[in-house]
Amino acid sequence: MPWLDPKAIDSAKALEWIAKALSKGRLQGKHKSQRLSNGFEFSQYRPYVQGDDLRLIDWKMYGKTDKYYIKQSEVERDHSMHIILDNSKSMDYEEFGWSKLLYAKLVTACLSYLNVQQGDTFSWSTYTTSYQRVLGMQQWKSCINDIHQLTSTSEDKNIRPKSEKNKTYLWLTDLYQSTDEIKSQINALKHQTTELILFHLVGEQEEALDFPENSTFVDLESGNKIQLSPQAYTKQYKQKYDAHLKTCKELCYASGVHYQKIYINRPVDIALKEFLDNYQSTTN
């Protein structure tokens, strides 16, 4: 049974509310900035925006100007997160009503909310569109509306954003691309001054080929259909699946990319809590 009825996310407002509820439940306090520190060299002030951490307000500047300002370090100003959502047709695959794309939308909403809550900026893109940097709660709410309306596309799968220094890239994908394409995209984003985190979205039935006899399978990219008995192809399928996954993981490890498998059948907050725990343990 699904952990949350996907039909509940029937509007941008619902997506916003659920993301906040999940983040405030298990995740808040787990996601701590690895880069914000009073020890960094001061660079500039920026105006306070709704959603910023009140502890970052410079009260001396408030006393002088009667306005709220955030004291910003060079590293804080230059570092941000960019989320890349795979919106190819294969992301329409679903189990128990949860498509990979809908799950990716909720992951994006949760992590971007955490980012905004701690006063950081983030931006996001799909394979067809890029969205500008978001700062503050009002911009986040507007962004959630665009995320909710996002649909899949059959256009190419080239990642659009250019690699920028001191940026963390978060790529949510099902990895249904050739290993050469995946390697090319990793090389385009992962450099010495950037981080790349790859969230591999998977269905449990999909991974085990656990479907009834004489099932009809549809290629979501081409629309082609085929009827077969999954049990007769399980061994062959698993060999090819495992080989592809092994190659993808090796590409990630060789490039210093953090790989994380996430099952769309499982609660988002639990999956993200496990990721944040694992990620912080490897970066501390």
Side-chain angles (χ1 to χ4, degrees):
M1 295 296 292
W3 52 275
L4 172 69
D5 188 348
K7 294 179 181 179
I9 308 179
D10 58 357
S11 65
K13 195 67 179 177
L15 177 59
E16 174 190 325
W17 184 87
I18 292 172
K20 286 182 177 180
L22 292 174
S23 300
K24 290 179 178 178
R26 292 181 181 269
L27 302 180
Q28 203 164 56
K30 285 289 182 183
H31 179 50
K32 298 179 181 178
S33 172
Q34 302 286 330
R35 295 170 180 77
L36 300 188
S37 169
N38 293 331
F40 288 120
E41 183 177 354
F42 168 70
S43 176
Q44 66 176 26
Y45 290 100
R46 65 168 172 80
Y48 168 84
V49 295
Q50 186 176 359
D52 281 338
D53 190 336
L54 294 176
R55 293 171 297 181
L56 299 178
I57 293 177
D58 190 300
W59 295 106
K60 290 184 178 180
M61 281 294 290
Y62 174 76
K64 295 177 181 179
T65 64
D66 203 29
K67 294 181 180 179
Y68 298 111
Y69 286 96
I70 299 294
K71 200 173 187 178
Q72 212 172 14
S73 73
E74 185 67 28
V75 174
E76 176 191 0
R77 182 169 60 88
D78 287 345
H79 186 276
S80 61
M81 178 173 68
H82 184 94
I83 302 175
I84 303 165
L85 283 85
D86 179 348
N87 66 323
S88 56
K89 284 293 184 180
S90 61
M91 292 287 284
D92 286 333
Y93 172 81
E94 65 178 56
E95 294 183 10
F96 295 111
W98 277 98
S99 72
K100 293 179 180 179
L101 184 57
L102 179 59
Y103 199 95
K105 289 180 182 180
L106 187 52
V107 170
T108 300
C110 288
L111 290 180
S112 60
Y113 176 75
L114 290 173
N115 218 59
V116 168
Q117 278 290 93
Q118 68 179 24
D120 292 339
T121 63
F122 82 96
S123 53
W124 65 285
S125 63
T126 68
Y127 288 154
T128 53
T129 312
S130 292
Y131 295 82
Q132 297 298 318
R133 184 171 297 184
V134 176
L135 176 64
M137 197 55 60
Q138 289 304 118
Q139 290 186 8
W140 178 79
K141 291 179 179 179
S142 177
C143 176
I144 291 300
N145 183 66
D146 292 334
I147 291 173
H148 180 263
Q149 294 180 6
L150 179 65
T151 58
S152 62
T153 178
S154 57
E155 295 189 33
D156 69 84
K157 298 182 177 182
N158 292 321
I159 293 177
R160 307 290 181 183
K162 296 180 180 179
S163 179
E164 300 178 27
K165 290 183 178 181
N166 300 322
K167 179 165 285 191
T168 295
Y169 293 93
L170 180 62
W171 182 18
L172 293 90
T173 178
D174 58 6
L175 288 177
Y176 280 148
Q177 299 170 253
S178 71
T179 52
D180 286 341
E181 289 176 321
I182 294 169
K183 181 179 180 180
S184 175
Q185 293 173 354
I186 287 176
N187 290 340
L189 295 175
K190 181 65 180 80
H191 301 289
Q192 188 174 0
T193 60
T194 64
E195 289 181 275
L196 176 57
I197 301 165
L198 193 155
F199 277 2
H200 181 198
L201 302 177
V202 182
E204 291 182 344
Q205 289 177 289
E206 169 196 26
E207 188 174 60
L209 202 65
D210 181 19
F211 299 101
E213 288 283 344
N214 298 318
S215 295
T216 299
F217 293 85
V218 181
D219 184 334
L220 295 173
E221 299 288 350
S222 66
N224 296 332
K225 298 181 181 180
I226 185 173
Q227 188 170 9
L228 53 80
S229 172
Q231 287 72 21
Y233 290 89
T234 299
K235 183 176 180 180
Q236 181 182 0
Y237 170 82
K238 283 293 292 178
Q239 287 176 342
K240 291 185 176 181
Y241 178 89
D242 291 343
H244 178 70
L245 183 56
K246 180 182 178 182
T247 302
C248 292
K249 287 183 176 180
E250 288 174 348
L251 288 173
C252 288
Y253 298 151
S255 301
V257 175
H258 184 99
Y259 169 90
Q260 184 83 22
K261 182 188 291 186
I262 295 185
Y263 290 99
I264 61 174
N265 319 72
R266 302 176 186 178
V268 163
D269 55 338
I270 295 177
L272 291 182
K273 179 181 180 296
E274 291 176 354
F275 157 69
L276 292 171
D277 287 343
N278 293 335
Y279 179 68
Q280 289 179 358
S281 67
T282 60
T283 54
N284 286 339

